[in-house]
Amino acid sequence: MARGRGGKGTSELVVGRNPVVEALREGVPANTLYVQQFIDNDERVREALQLAGERGGINLMEAPRPELDRMTNGLNHQGLVLQVPPYEYAHPEDLLDAAADGGEDPLVVALDGVTDPRNLGAVVRSVSAFGGHGVVVPERRAAGMTAGAWKTSAGTAARTPVARATNLTRALEQYKKAGVTVVGLAADGEAELGDLEALGGPVVIVVGSEGKGLSRLVGETCDFRVRIPMPGGAESLNAGVAAGIVLYEAARRRG
Protein backbone atom coordinates (compact mmCIF):
# COMPACT_ATOMS: atom_id res chain seq x y z
CA MET A 1 0.00 0.00 0.00
CA ALA A 2 1.35 3.44 -0.89
CA ARG A 3 1.93 5.44 2.26
CA GLY A 4 2.87 9.04 2.82
CA ARG A 5 0.94 10.63 -0.06
CA GLY A 6 -1.05 12.50 2.57
CA GLY A 7 2.09 14.41 3.49
CA LYS A 8 4.18 14.59 6.63
CA GLY A 9 3.42 16.12 9.98
CA THR A 10 6.01 18.14 11.86
CA SER A 11 8.62 16.71 14.18
CA GLU A 12 7.77 17.00 17.85
CA LEU A 13 9.62 17.09 21.17
CA VAL A 14 8.51 15.14 24.24
CA VAL A 15 9.89 17.00 27.24
CA GLY A 16 10.50 15.93 30.85
CA ARG A 17 11.46 12.70 32.59
CA ASN A 18 8.03 11.11 33.11
CA PRO A 19 6.66 12.04 29.63
CA VAL A 20 9.84 10.73 27.93
CA VAL A 21 9.77 7.42 29.83
CA GLU A 22 6.03 6.97 29.12
CA ALA A 23 6.52 7.71 25.41
CA LEU A 24 9.36 5.16 25.18
CA ARG A 25 7.32 2.55 27.09
CA GLU A 26 4.37 3.02 24.71
CA GLY A 27 6.53 2.62 21.61
CA VAL A 28 6.06 6.19 20.37
CA PRO A 29 8.36 6.53 17.32
CA ALA A 30 11.53 8.45 18.14
CA ASN A 31 14.82 9.18 16.46
CA THR A 32 16.89 11.01 19.13
CA LEU A 33 17.03 11.07 22.91
CA TYR A 34 18.79 14.18 24.24
CA VAL A 35 20.30 13.83 27.72
CA GLN A 36 21.66 16.78 29.67
CA GLN A 37 25.36 16.70 30.48
CA PHE A 38 26.12 15.94 34.16
CA ILE A 39 22.48 14.94 34.78
CA ASP A 40 21.66 13.51 38.21
CA ASN A 41 21.06 9.91 37.27
CA ASP A 42 17.74 8.85 38.84
CA GLU A 43 15.57 5.80 38.10
CA ARG A 44 13.65 7.52 35.27
CA VAL A 45 16.84 8.63 33.50
CA ARG A 46 18.20 5.08 33.71
CA GLU A 47 14.93 3.62 32.39
CA ALA A 48 14.83 6.09 29.50
CA LEU A 49 18.39 5.20 28.49
CA GLN A 50 17.65 1.48 28.81
CA LEU A 51 14.43 1.64 26.76
CA ALA A 52 16.08 3.73 24.03
CA GLY A 53 19.02 1.31 23.89
CA GLU A 54 16.81 -1.79 23.74
CA ARG A 55 14.69 -0.42 20.93
CA GLY A 56 17.61 0.48 18.69
CA GLY A 57 17.52 3.15 16.01
CA ILE A 58 17.36 5.97 18.58
CA ASN A 59 20.41 8.25 18.67
CA LEU A 60 21.64 9.19 22.13
CA MET A 61 22.92 12.77 22.27
CA GLU A 62 24.48 14.49 25.25
CA ALA A 63 23.79 18.22 25.33
CA PRO A 64 24.54 21.07 27.75
CA ARG A 65 21.57 22.47 29.64
CA PRO A 66 21.46 25.82 27.74
CA GLU A 67 21.11 23.87 24.48
CA LEU A 68 18.14 21.89 25.86
CA ASP A 69 16.62 25.11 27.24
CA ARG A 70 16.86 26.64 23.76
CA MET A 71 15.43 23.54 22.03
CA THR A 72 12.42 23.43 24.35
CA ASN A 73 11.82 27.19 24.57
CA GLY A 74 12.58 27.15 28.27
CA LEU A 75 10.21 24.31 29.24
CA ASN A 76 11.03 22.27 32.34
CA HIS A 77 12.77 19.43 30.49
CA GLN A 78 14.48 17.95 33.60
CA GLY A 79 17.40 16.98 31.39
CA LEU A 80 15.51 14.63 29.03
CA VAL A 81 14.11 15.49 25.59
CA LEU A 82 12.85 12.95 23.05
CA GLN A 83 12.55 13.87 19.37
CA VAL A 84 9.59 12.32 17.56
CA PRO A 85 9.93 12.29 13.75
CA PRO A 86 7.17 13.66 11.50
CA TYR A 87 4.27 11.22 11.05
CA GLU A 88 3.82 10.00 7.47
CA TYR A 89 0.15 10.32 6.67
CA ALA A 90 -1.55 8.05 4.18
CA HIS A 91 -3.80 9.39 1.43
CA PRO A 92 -7.56 8.75 1.85
CA GLU A 93 -7.49 6.51 -1.25
CA ASP A 94 -4.86 4.30 0.40
CA LEU A 95 -7.47 3.14 2.91
CA LEU A 96 -9.71 1.87 0.08
CA ASP A 97 -6.70 0.13 -1.47
CA ALA A 98 -5.97 -1.59 1.86
CA ALA A 99 -9.53 -2.92 2.02
CA ALA A 100 -9.35 -4.12 -1.60
CA ASP A 101 -6.01 -5.85 -0.94
CA GLY A 102 -7.67 -7.79 1.89
CA GLY A 103 -10.76 -8.60 -0.19
CA GLU A 104 -12.91 -6.65 2.31
CA ASP A 105 -15.49 -3.87 2.19
CA PRO A 106 -13.91 -0.60 3.37
CA LEU A 107 -14.56 0.32 7.02
CA VAL A 108 -13.16 3.79 7.72
CA VAL A 109 -13.71 6.50 10.34
CA ALA A 110 -13.42 10.20 9.40
CA LEU A 111 -13.10 12.87 12.08
CA ASP A 112 -14.70 16.28 11.55
CA GLY A 113 -13.49 19.00 13.91
CA VAL A 114 -11.94 16.68 16.52
CA THR A 115 -9.03 18.64 17.99
CA ASP A 116 -7.87 16.52 20.96
CA PRO A 117 -5.06 14.14 19.92
CA ARG A 118 -6.13 11.70 22.66
CA ASN A 119 -9.52 11.36 20.97
CA LEU A 120 -7.76 10.61 17.68
CA GLY A 121 -5.63 7.98 19.43
CA ALA A 122 -8.73 6.39 20.97
CA VAL A 123 -10.42 6.25 17.55
CA VAL A 124 -7.32 4.63 16.00
CA ARG A 125 -7.45 2.02 18.77
CA SER A 126 -11.15 1.30 18.12
CA VAL A 127 -10.63 1.06 14.36
CA SER A 128 -7.85 -1.45 14.94
CA ALA A 129 -9.95 -3.46 17.43
CA PHE A 130 -12.90 -3.83 15.05
CA GLY A 131 -10.97 -4.58 11.87
CA GLY A 132 -11.28 -1.17 10.23
CA HIS A 133 -8.95 0.10 7.51
CA GLY A 134 -7.95 3.49 8.87
CA VAL A 135 -8.88 6.98 9.98
CA VAL A 136 -9.19 10.18 7.93
CA VAL A 137 -8.50 13.59 9.47
CA PRO A 138 -8.61 17.05 7.87
CA GLU A 139 -5.33 18.85 7.32
CA ARG A 140 -6.37 21.99 9.24
CA ARG A 141 -7.98 22.69 12.61
CA ALA A 142 -7.86 19.04 13.61
CA ALA A 143 -5.91 16.69 15.83
CA GLY A 144 -2.93 15.01 14.20
CA MET A 145 -0.78 12.01 15.05
CA THR A 146 1.22 13.51 17.89
CA ALA A 147 3.02 11.59 20.62
CA GLY A 148 -0.15 12.00 22.73
CA ALA A 149 -2.34 10.42 20.03
CA TRP A 150 0.17 7.60 19.57
CA LYS A 151 0.24 6.86 23.31
CA THR A 152 -3.58 6.77 23.55
CA SER A 153 -3.69 4.36 20.61
CA ALA A 154 -1.73 1.89 22.80
CA GLY A 155 0.56 0.92 19.94
CA THR A 156 -2.21 0.22 17.40
CA ALA A 157 -1.10 3.30 15.41
CA ALA A 158 1.77 1.15 14.10
CA ARG A 159 -0.69 -0.93 12.05
CA THR A 160 -3.68 1.39 11.51
CA PRO A 161 -3.02 4.12 8.94
CA VAL A 162 -4.16 7.69 9.46
CA ALA A 163 -4.84 9.60 6.26
CA ARG A 164 -4.94 13.35 5.93
CA ALA A 165 -7.36 15.11 3.60
CA THR A 166 -6.80 18.64 2.31
CA ASN A 167 -10.58 19.01 2.18
CA LEU A 168 -12.68 16.51 4.17
CA THR A 169 -15.92 17.14 2.23
CA ARG A 170 -14.15 16.48 -1.07
CA ALA A 171 -12.56 13.31 0.32
CA LEU A 172 -15.99 12.05 1.41
CA GLU A 173 -17.40 12.80 -2.04
CA GLN A 174 -14.56 10.76 -3.60
CA TYR A 175 -15.43 7.87 -1.27
CA LYS A 176 -19.05 8.09 -2.40
CA LYS A 177 -17.97 7.92 -6.05
CA ALA A 178 -16.03 4.76 -5.15
CA GLY A 179 -19.25 3.18 -3.84
CA VAL A 180 -18.69 3.78 -0.14
CA THR A 181 -21.68 4.88 1.97
CA VAL A 182 -21.01 7.93 4.16
CA VAL A 183 -22.69 7.69 7.56
CA GLY A 184 -22.55 10.73 9.87
CA LEU A 185 -23.16 10.54 13.60
CA ALA A 186 -25.64 13.17 14.79
CA ALA A 187 -27.76 13.47 17.94
CA ASP A 188 -30.73 14.41 15.71
CA GLY A 189 -29.99 11.81 13.01
CA GLU A 190 -33.01 10.47 11.13
CA ALA A 191 -31.90 6.82 11.44
CA GLU A 192 -31.21 4.84 14.61
CA LEU A 193 -27.93 2.94 14.76
CA GLY A 194 -29.46 -0.54 15.09
CA ASP A 195 -31.70 0.00 12.02
CA LEU A 196 -29.01 1.07 9.54
CA GLU A 197 -28.42 -1.79 7.09
CA ALA A 198 -25.72 0.20 5.28
CA LEU A 199 -23.25 -0.52 8.10
CA GLY A 200 -22.92 -4.08 6.78
CA GLY A 201 -21.30 -2.86 3.54
CA PRO A 202 -18.56 -0.43 2.43
CA VAL A 203 -18.86 2.49 4.83
CA VAL A 204 -17.10 5.56 6.20
CA ILE A 205 -18.34 6.65 9.62
CA VAL A 206 -18.04 10.41 10.23
CA VAL A 207 -17.71 11.57 13.83
CA GLY A 208 -17.96 15.26 14.69
CA SER A 209 -16.58 17.18 17.63
CA GLU A 210 -18.11 16.80 21.08
CA GLY A 211 -20.64 19.58 21.55
CA LYS A 212 -20.60 21.00 18.01
CA GLY A 213 -21.17 17.76 16.11
CA LEU A 214 -20.80 17.64 12.31
CA SER A 215 -20.07 20.80 10.35
CA ARG A 216 -22.82 21.85 7.92
CA LEU A 217 -21.03 20.89 4.68
CA VAL A 218 -19.91 17.51 6.01
CA GLY A 219 -23.41 16.80 7.36
CA GLU A 220 -24.91 17.59 3.95
CA THR A 221 -22.43 15.23 2.26
CA CYS A 222 -23.51 12.23 4.37
CA ASP A 223 -25.81 9.61 2.81
CA PHE A 224 -27.29 8.93 6.25
CA ARG A 225 -27.21 10.72 9.58
CA VAL A 226 -27.50 8.21 12.38
CA ARG A 227 -28.09 8.64 16.10
CA ILE A 228 -26.91 6.41 18.94
CA PRO A 229 -29.83 5.74 21.31
CA MET A 230 -28.83 6.83 24.82
CA PRO A 231 -31.43 5.91 27.45
CA GLY A 232 -29.25 7.54 30.12
CA GLY A 233 -29.82 10.91 28.50
CA ALA A 234 -26.19 11.96 27.93
CA GLU A 235 -26.02 14.93 25.58
CA SER A 236 -22.99 13.72 23.63
CA LEU A 237 -20.23 11.12 23.64
CA ASN A 238 -16.60 11.83 22.94
CA ALA A 239 -15.29 10.80 19.54
CA GLY A 240 -13.47 7.69 20.76
CA VAL A 241 -16.51 6.23 22.53
CA ALA A 242 -18.95 7.13 19.72
CA ALA A 243 -16.71 5.62 17.04
CA GLY A 244 -16.26 2.45 19.10
CA ILE A 245 -20.03 1.92 19.40
CA VAL A 246 -20.65 2.33 15.66
CA LEU A 247 -17.61 0.21 14.70
CA TYR A 248 -18.91 -2.57 16.95
CA GLU A 249 -22.28 -2.47 15.18
CA ALA A 250 -20.57 -2.50 11.76
CA ALA A 251 -18.30 -5.41 12.76
CA ARG A 252 -21.33 -7.34 14.13
CA ARG A 253 -23.19 -6.96 10.86
CA ARG A 254 -20.14 -8.04 8.85
CA GLY A 255 -19.44 -11.00 11.12
Side-chain angles (χ1 to χ4, degrees):
M1 180 178 71
R3 291 291 299 275
R5 293 189 298 136
K8 282 192 176 187
T10 53
S11 62
E12 182 188 359
L13 297 176
V14 177
V15 174
R17 296 186 186 187
N18 284 340
V20 165
V21 169
E22 283 172 20
L24 288 166
R25 278 183 193 155
E26 293 291 345
V28 172
N31 49 21
T32 307
L33 174 62
Y34 294 92
V35 183
Q36 184 181 309
Q37 282 175 342
F38 314 118
I39 193 169
D40 62 326
N41 205 348
D42 73 0
E43 195 178 319
R44 292 165 302 171
V45 173
R46 287 193 293 274
E47 186 177 356
L49 290 167
Q50 183 184 343
L51 288 167
E54 285 170 356
R55 194 194 298 183
I58 298 178
N59 297 315
L60 291 176
M61 300 282 286
E62 203 175 34
R65 177 166 185 164
E67 176 68 9
L68 296 183
D69 290 344
R70 186 192 61 74
M71 277 174 62
T72 61
N73 286 325
L75 292 175
N76 183 20
H77 52 73
Q78 302 171 301
L80 284 186
V81 178
L82 187 69
Q83 185 168 47
V84 178
Y87 181 81
E88 286 216 7
Y89 290 94
H91 187 279
E93 287 172 21
D94 295 340
L95 309 187
L96 302 187
D97 295 342
D101 290 346
E104 298 165 340
D105 282 335
L107 177 57
V108 172
V109 173
L111 299 181
D112 177 26
V114 172
T115 54
D116 187 336
R118 291 168 301 183
N119 269 335
L120 170 56
V123 170
V124 168
R125 192 172 181 177
S126 292
V127 167
S128 176
F130 292 110
H133 300 101
V135 180
V136 181
V137 296
E139 201 170 287
R140 295 180 189 83
R141 294 186 293 280
M145 279 307 296
T146 62
W150 192 282
K151 271 168 53 183
T152 313
S153 82
T156 58
R159 58 181 183 271
T160 303
V162 175
R164 198 162 61 173
T166 312
N167 181 305
L168 185 61
T169 306
R170 204 174 305 138
L172 294 173
E173 284 167 351
Q174 290 299 320
Y175 276 166
K176 287 169 76 164
K177 282 181 186 169
V180 180
T181 303
V182 178
V183 174
L185 286 189
D188 60 348
E190 52 275 3
E192 194 166 291
L193 180 61
D195 300 334
L196 194 63
E197 299 290 336
L199 285 174
V203 69
V204 55
I205 300 154
V206 191
V207 183
S209 65
E210 195 172 352
K212 288 185 182 174
L214 300 174
S215 61
R216 184 182 60 80
L217 278 176
V218 167
E220 288 170 0
T221 307
C222 295
D223 296 303
F224 299 98
R225 292 182 343 122
V226 67
R227 64 185 184 278
I228 297 172
M230 289 189 282
E235 286 187 19
S236 63
L237 299 169
N238 75 34
V241 173
I245 291 167
V246 185
L247 285 162
Y248 167 77
E249 180 63 20
R252 188 184 70 78
R253 287 177 179 274
R254 289 155 183 253

